[in-house]
Amino acid sequence: MISLAIYIGLLLIGLICFIAHAALPFRIAKRLREDYPHHWQVIVDTGDGNRAARGPRLWLRMQQVLRSPAIVAIGNASLTRLWRAWRYSQWLAWGCWVAALALQWHSRA
């Protein structure tokens, strides 16, 4: 019975971490737009005059920023905390799901 509770707990923690990994870029983008408009302009600017990146192009540019050390270089502690949560939430989610699968496999043996 306890292993079932641990199994469900691991699955739920993994799901929450995956949702956080998907939602945190939107929070980071909002903070950049509001607190650092010059940095946000660099992300949005395509170099085509007044044309700004939108849709998938903006998403790809934001992913490049998230994968680079640019967020940490800004020096804002709360923004860095969000970035670190984004960066490590996916690893934690996969770890929880693999642990849940190992627990399931172990309980069948």
Side-chain angles (χ1 to χ4, degrees), residues 9 12 21 24 35 47 67 80 92:
L12 286 175
H21 185 77
L24 282 172
D35 298 342
R67 287 182 171 87
T80 302
L92 181 61

Side-chain angles (χ1 to χ4, degrees), residues 35-79:
D35 298 342
Y36 302 97
H38 294 338
H39 295 336
W40 179 250
Q41 191 62 35
V42 171
I43 296 168
V44 174
D45 186 23
T46 60
D48 297 338
N50 290 335
R51 210 168 133 212
R54 298 197 184 279
R57 193 170 186 183
L58 178 62
W59 183 82
L60 286 172
R61 291 173 72 96
M62 189 65 191
Q63 291 300 311
Q64 287 176 338
V65 169
L66 288 171
R67 287 182 171 87
S68 74
I71 300 292
V72 177
I74 291 173
N76 185 324
S78 64
L79 195 58

Side-chain angles (χ1 to χ4, degrees), residues 5-6 19-20 22 28 31 40-41 44 46-47 50 52 55-56 69 72 78 81 86 89 91 98 102 108-109:
I6 294 172
I19 291 171
I28 294 170
R31 294 287 307 273
W40 179 250
Q41 191 62 35
V44 174
T46 60
N50 290 335
V72 177
S78 64
R81 199 174 316 118
W86 171 82
S89 62
W91 292 104
V98 167
R108 290 183 188 250

